[in-house]
Amino acid sequence: MAGTRRLTSAVLLLALGVAGCTSAGRSPPEPTAPRPFQGVTYYGPGSRAALHTTEEHLVAACMRGKGFTYQPQPRPTGPNRLDTDP
């Protein structure tokens, strides 16, 4: 009796696992450009601009706290912007 119950449970779990792995009639997702770590380190243009602005203001505040003057720099533009602002 216990052996039959275990076998039934195992078959049921296997069937649920197989059913959960099927595509359920959905089309496959659109291919995206390959990015490291499945894109978790990719930020869109708006996010990059916000991160740059925030970083510049934090640097200015830190420098001011140490007695230095620092003017937040605008985000670089042009073909070499990745060389100056990764």
Side-chain angles (χ1 to χ4, degrees):
M1 182 74 167
T4 304
R5 192 173 296 165
R6 284 187 183 145
L7 179 61
T8 303
S9 296
V11 170
L12 179 62
L13 287 174
L14 179 63
L16 288 173
V18 169
C21 292
T22 61
S23 65
R26 291 176 289 174
S27 60
E30 291 291 321
T32 58
R35 292 194 170 99
F37 309 111
Q38 289 79 36
V40 298
T41 59
Y42 173 76
Y43 299 102
S47 295
R48 285 195 306 267
L51 285 169
H52 174 81
T53 301
T54 302
E55 180 181 14
E56 287 295 312
H57 288 291
L58 289 171
V59 168
C62 179
M63 300 276 288
R64 187 172 36 254
K66 302 291 183 186
F68 295 99
T69 302
Y70 180 83
Q71 295 296 322
Q73 301 298 305
R75 201 152 180 255
T77 59
N80 297 325
R81 69 181 177 271
L82 293 179
D83 293 338
T84 58
D85 188 26

